[in-house]
Structures are given as structure tokens and as C-alpha cells.
Amino acid sequence: LRRSPECHQEEADGHLRYRIIEKKLKGMGDNMKGLFITMEGPDGAGKTTVINQLIPLLQKHALVDIVSTREPGGSRIAEDIRKVILDVNNTEMDERTEAILYAAGRRQHLKDRILPNLEKGNIVFCDRFVDSSLVYQGVARGIGVEEVAQLNHFATDGLEPSTTLYLDVPAEVGLERIHKARGNRQFDRLDQEGLSFHTMVRNGYLELVKKYPERIVSIDATKSIEEVVEECFRVLVERYPKYFTK
Ligand code: TMP
């Protein structure tokens, strides 16, 4: 488990740069024994399909329990908040309202599920976490990465994943997959966004990968599902030999 550095964003010559300031954290999360893993990626990166194959594989090799969860949502109240955020009728939702709702759901999910399982020593595998807000709300919605980081710091008290598996696909590929899958996947409000939004999301993630090269592992998700699952598995087993048998 990591302690989050505070992330300060500066804009210079059109490039986002971040200054990291380590901050001592208090209270929450001091007695954590478990392992907190997240998965991130633009829409259409194939997260759901990968997770459906990766979790059973990890479970086979894990020496502790694995709890698979997701955001937005992941616990009863947080799932209620998810419904409000993703409701296709809420087109007029203000972007800060949206950011606050994501952070509120995250806080509740953390208290209800993530922390109790980490305290028990389990592996918590979460589909999306703070990075999604930094990218979607901070970059793509234009609120600013630093503002969204601060909001989320309040929500999480600085708790960060040990490893984040980032599934990387170009925006065009992600969008094409979404459209193909529309028949068997619920089309939500955010899928209505165009290519430029999806491109900003991808670029936002690439900035985070550069900024957190140790925590975030970028995986080429244009490869076959089998290869992507295999690579995710390999990364985790190599990084955490105490938690998995080979
Ligand atoms: P999902 O498709 O992975 O279930 O995520 C639903 C959408 O919510 C997806 O388009 C990304 C978006 N999202 C944010 O904009 N900010 C966040 O903090 C999270 C967790 C998700």
C-alpha cells in the first residue's frame, strides 16, 4: 500500500508537468496489511473482459482472498451514487458536481469495502480509482488535475494503490470497440462523448504513466485478450511473490 504524494500540476509550453510533494499522512490506513491493485483505461480498453479472466486466474494462485470491486460503485450507497452519475437523463450535470459525486462514492466505497479488506490482509482489486477522476474530470472535463487531486485526497485521505495496471488503447480503437459491443453492453452517458473527449482521456492517462512510472504499469491492450491477461498476471506475480504462487 502506498501513501499518495500530492500532485501539483503546472502548465508550461502546453505540456502538463507535475510536481510531487510527499506529505505525511495521518490516521486512515496505518494498519493496512493487504495489497491494493487497480485497473485503469479509456472506455473500450477491454477492462471488463480482462478482469473477468484475470480474477479467476489470480484467485487460483493467490495465497490470500481476492476481493474484486469497481468504481463508480462497489458498495450499496456508492452504487446509488453511480446511478445518478451515469443516468443518461442527467445531461445537464455540472462537471464539478460530477467530480464531487465520484469522490463521494469513492469515500463510501473505501470505508465500506476497500479498507476493511486491506485490514484483513486481503488483495483488493479495483476496476478504476482516483486516476480515473484525474483523467476524466481533471483533464477531459477541464477541471484541472490539481483540483481533482485535492478533492480526492480529502476523499481517500491519501490512500493509493500499490500497483495500477493501465490498459492502453488509442481513442479510435476504444471507440470502435464500444460501438461494436453496443448490442451487449449498456450504453451510458459518458459513451456519448466524441472522439476528442476520448483522445483527451487517453492523453491524460499517458501523462499519469509518465508521472508515476513505478506505480502505473502500461499494458498494450490492442493485443489479444489472452496476451493482455497473461501480461497483467505476470506483472502482479513478479511484483508480489509473497501473495502468489507461480
Ligand atoms: P466503467 O465503464 O469502467 O464502468 O466506468 C464508467 C464511466 O465512468 C467511464 O466512462 C469512466 C467514468 N469515470 C469517471 O469519469 N471518473 C471516475 O472517477 C470514475 C471511477 C469513472
Side-chain angles (χ1 to χ4, degrees):
L1 204 74
R2 279 170 183 257
R3 295 291 152 74
S4 123
E6 255 186 341
C7 176
H8 288 256
Q9 173 198 344
E10 295 164 359
E11 274 202 57
D13 306 328
H15 292 288
L16 293 179
R17 287 190 295 143
Y18 307 89
R19 201 155 37 90
I20 311 295
I21 298 172
E22 287 291 340
K23 197 180 170 207
K24 199 172 176 295
L25 294 162
K26 50 184 168 26
M28 199 157 102
D30 275 349
N31 301 315
M32 300 293 124
K33 301 182 296 250
L35 190 59
F36 186 26
I37 309 293
T38 59
M39 179 167 277
E40 294 281 350
D43 298 79
K47 275 190 301 99
T48 308
T49 317
V50 169
I51 287 170
N52 285 342
Q53 296 188 20
L54 179 62
I55 296 299
L57 184 61
L58 290 173
Q59 270 160 346
K60 249 196 233 165
H61 293 262
L63 298 167
V64 296
D65 285 345
I66 299 186
V67 175
S68 178
T69 187
R70 67 155 182 195
E71 291 200 353
S75 73
R76 188 179 62 80
I77 297 171
E79 287 287 334
D80 281 350
I81 297 171
R82 175 188 172 97
K83 283 183 203 135
V84 176
I85 300 171
L86 299 182
D87 188 334
V88 285
N89 296 314
N90 288 344
T91 47
E92 77 276 28
M93 188 183 287
D94 171 76
E95 57 265 16
R96 288 193 184 203
T97 307
E98 186 185 74
I100 292 164
L101 286 175
Y102 277 120
R106 182 160 296 134
R107 171 76 190 175
Q108 192 63 38
H109 180 215
L110 201 70
K111 295 288 277 195
D112 289 345
R113 265 193 105 190
I114 298 176
L115 291 178
N117 276 292
L118 292 176
E119 273 159 16
K120 281 187 209 157
N122 292 335
I123 298 169
V124 176
F125 189 102
C126 191
D127 178 0
R128 297 196 184 281
F129 196 61
V130 172
D131 294 324
S132 284
S133 283
L134 299 180
V135 165
Y136 283 83
Q137 282 64 57
V139 178
R141 294 261 185 243
I143 296 175
V145 173
E146 188 186 350
E147 284 79 353
V148 176
Q150 279 173 4
L151 173 67
N152 276 276
H153 196 273
F154 177 68
T156 63
D157 211 3
L159 223 68
E160 260 197 357
S162 294
T163 289
T164 298
L165 302 167
Y166 163 61
L167 302 193
D168 184 49
V169 282
E172 294 81 0
V173 177
L175 270 180
E176 199 186 301
R177 286 184 184 170
I178 292 169
H179 292 302
K180 268 197 198 148
R182 222 181 256 174
N184 49 30
R185 174 188 189 275
Q186 212 180 347
F187 193 66
D188 68 38
R189 188 168 64 84
L190 295 170
D191 290 338
Q192 292 170 356
E193 305 292 345
L195 182 61
S196 65
F197 183 87
H198 288 263
T199 304
M200 282 193 279
V201 166
R202 202 240 181 159
N203 291 342
Y205 273 123
L206 294 180
E207 286 290 334
L208 289 184
V209 171
K210 262 196 256 161
K211 203 58 234 168
Y212 302 106
E214 280 176 29
R215 174 172 66 85
I216 307 181
V217 181
S218 180
I219 289 162
D220 178 0
T222 61
K223 290 186 180 167
S224 73
I225 291 292
E226 290 70 28
E227 285 172 298
V228 175
V229 170
E230 172 63 33
E231 173 133 20
C232 292
F233 178 71
R234 190 185 53 74
V235 167
L236 295 180
V237 171
E238 275 176 13
R239 284 192 164 201
Y240 306 108
K242 281 190 191 148
Y243 286 84
F244 298 101
T245 59
K246 286 213 174 168

